[in-house]
Structures are given as C-alpha cells and as structure tokens.
Amino acid sequence: GEDICRTEDQRGGFCGATATVDVTGYRLASDETRTLMAKRFQIPRWQEETRQKFDDYRSVAKNQAFQLSLPLQRAMEYGPGTLVLPKIDRVGAYALRFVPQGGIESWAVLQVTKNATYVVAEKDTIETWVVNASTQKPLSRLPVTFGSVTVQTDASGLAPLSATAAMFATTATDE
C-alpha cells in the first residue's frame, strides 16, 4: 500500500489535516487486485507526482463495501497519525480511499485474511511466521511465495527464505 501520512508539505495531506478522516472501502476481485498492484509496482518510487494521481485505484473502486469517518490519532500535534479500522470480517482485498478533512485524498490496498503473518528480515534470511488469527495456532504446510521463491511453513508456522529473493511480491494462501 501507499504511505498514509507523509511529512508536512504543500499538498495538505494527512499531516496537515484535522482530526477526522473519511474512509471508503471498495471490495476488489482477485484479478482487479493483481492488476492494480502490478500497475502500482511499475511506478518508480521517485515519481511521486505520478504515484499521487490514483487513477488506477479509481478505475477499480466500484463495489463499495463500507464508509466510515474515523478520528486520526496522533502522539503529537503535527506529524504521523494512526487510523484504527474496525474489524472487517469478510476476507478479501479492498481499495481504501482516505479523505482527511482539510487535506487531499490518498489510497491504499488492504488485504483481509484469516492468517496473521509476521516477517523479520535479517542480512541473509527473511523469516516468515504464519498463524491462524482467530486461534493463534501455527499454520503448517502453507505455501509462502516471496518473489520467485516458494517455500512451505513448517509445523511451527515458520518459513525461512533467502534474503536475495525479490523483496516486494510476498503472498500467503490458505488452501
């Protein structure tokens, strides 16, 4: 997803916004999610102006699932804030549109799963641990794909991966 809060700037994003953010969630089909993410990953990080257009998000935002107005929680008067979304029970991907009062819109992708995945990256290894979010029990024999490398979780839910694998294409499926 995209950064929700950026440093204070001329665009009037979250950092300069008031305490309320309108959030609209649009449910995405799996093919829409793949297409959207592929388009987003093609935009270089240094092309900030292109990244801020969000036309690719708007083109898939058709199936509105929820609309909320949430308080922006901040530790300081200015600077990064946190939005706490309520529990979303329906597994799947969502395009989220954020509109802070007094700021500009921003978008992100949210993937809701019944799995909780924890990732720790070290110099040579990326350790992935996957558990069932409801029961907190490890998920074994679960395929974890990182770039072009796929491994399965062991009995404790762990899947060690080489750190040389691509750093941005992680997925876990529970089939």
Side-chain angles (χ1 to χ4, degrees):
E2 306 301 314
D3 294 337
I4 291 175
C5 187
R6 296 168 182 82
T7 57
E8 291 181 62
D9 57 22
Q10 301 299 318
R11 293 171 292 157
F14 274 39
C15 294
T18 60
T20 304
V21 179
D22 293 327
V23 180
T24 307
Y26 299 91
R27 186 155 171 75
L28 301 175
S30 52
D31 62 325
E32 291 174 319
T33 306
R34 279 191 294 276
T35 300
L36 174 60
M37 296 307 296
K39 286 179 182 178
R40 295 307 290 179
F41 284 136
Q42 288 176 352
I43 303 170
R45 293 295 290 171
W46 52 267
Q47 287 187 342
E48 187 65 23
E49 187 173 321
T50 302
R51 295 185 73 75
Q52 297 303 313
K53 290 186 180 175
F54 301 117
D55 291 335
D56 43 5
Y57 281 95
R58 289 184 200 95
S59 70
V60 295
K62 297 180 176 104
N63 186 12
Q64 185 174 323
F66 57 87
Q67 187 164 10
L68 309 162
S69 187
L70 300 172
L72 182 61
Q73 301 171 8
R74 288 199 179 122
M76 301 179 297
E77 184 177 345
Y78 284 95
T82 302
L83 287 176
V84 178
L85 294 173
K87 183 178 179 183
I88 299 171
D89 292 319
R90 190 165 177 194
V91 171
Y94 298 84
L96 300 183
R97 179 177 182 249
F98 303 96
V99 182
Q101 291 180 359
I104 61 166
E105 77 174 350
S106 184
W107 288 78
V109 172
L110 171 69
Q111 183 177 6
V112 177
T113 71
K114 56 185 170 182
N115 304 333
T117 305
Y118 306 92
V119 179
V120 177
E122 295 182 354
K123 180 180 175 189
D124 299 319
T125 305
I126 299 167
E127 192 72 44
T128 304
W129 182 47
V130 185
V131 298
N132 180 296
S134 299
T135 66
Q136 298 300 309
K137 292 185 180 180
L139 296 172
S140 62
R141 297 186 317 270
L142 184 70
V144 176
T145 302
F146 204 82
S148 61
V149 178
T150 299
V151 297
Q152 286 193 342
T153 56
D154 63 16
S156 61
L158 292 172
L161 296 150
S162 167
T164 59
M167 296 295 291
F168 59 85
T170 302
T171 59
T173 56
D174 184 12
E175 296 180 28

